[in-house]
Amino acid sequence: MLPSRSRMRRGDEFAAAVRRGSRAGRPTLVAHLKTRADVGTDGDSPPLVGFVVSRAVGGAVVRNKVKRRLRHLMRDRLHRLPQGSLLVVRANPPAASARIEHLAAELDAALDRLLRRRGPAPQARTDGHR
């Protein structure tokens, strides 16, 4: 499972990631990423990941199954996220019937897109100017 220290729990963190973060959509899921520079946290804090699975996905049993699968998949991808970032993964209704391999491929595609948009880290200037 996803480490406890990497789980997003506060509503304001979810809201910040969804409202002000970058978004990458796929048929089975949508990922929202808010990076450390945007969040204003220190570089030592771990990335936080939260999941949103609405009733549109299915009943309680189906929703919990989808959440478990997404948590399991994110555990192996946590190292790709920048320190201090916030990631929210929202499941769409097709996630209920998707195989875990398909969910993994879609999650990878969404993360690749979000991390590519971030671009390279800004370089420190050595000429004394900021």
Side-chain angles (χ1 to χ4, degrees), residues 21-43:
S22 300
R23 177 183 164 286
R26 305 293 303 160
T28 59
L29 56 89
V30 178
H32 302 268
L33 178 67
K34 185 103 173 116
T35 58
R36 177 182 68 214
D38 302 330
V39 175
T41 60
D42 61 351

Side-chain angles (χ1 to χ4, degrees), residues 26 73 77 99-110 112:
R26 305 293 303 160
L73 292 170
R77 290 157 179 81
R99 297 181 54 146
I100 194 158
E101 297 85 9
H102 183 66
L103 274 177
E106 297 239 315
L107 184 59
D108 285 335
D112 288 344

Side-chain angles (χ1 to χ4, degrees), residues 26-120:
R26 305 293 303 160
T28 59
L29 56 89
V30 178
H32 302 268
L33 178 67
K34 185 103 173 116
T35 58
R36 177 182 68 214
D38 302 330
V39 175
T41 60
D42 61 351
D44 295 335
S45 60
L48 297 178
V49 182
F51 303 94
V52 177
V53 184
S54 74
R55 286 188 186 161
V57 174
V61 173
V62 173
R63 290 194 314 268
N64 286 328
K65 182 173 112 176
V66 170
K67 278 188 271 191
R68 279 193 310 271
R69 287 179 170 187
L70 290 172
R71 276 196 305 264
H72 175 76
L73 292 170
M74 273 311 303
R75 180 189 63 189
D76 297 332
R77 290 157 179 81
L78 202 55
H79 69 279
R80 296 180 58 193
L81 299 176
Q83 290 295 314
S85 62
L86 303 174
L87 176 73
V88 172
V89 179
R90 183 170 41 93
N92 290 333
S97 59
R99 297 181 54 146
I100 194 158
E101 297 85 9
H102 183 66
L103 274 177
E106 297 239 315
L107 184 59
D108 285 335
L111 287 176
D112 288 344
R113 206 145 134 231
L114 288 170
L115 295 173
R116 193 170 43 241
R117 282 184 197 161
R118 273 187 69 236

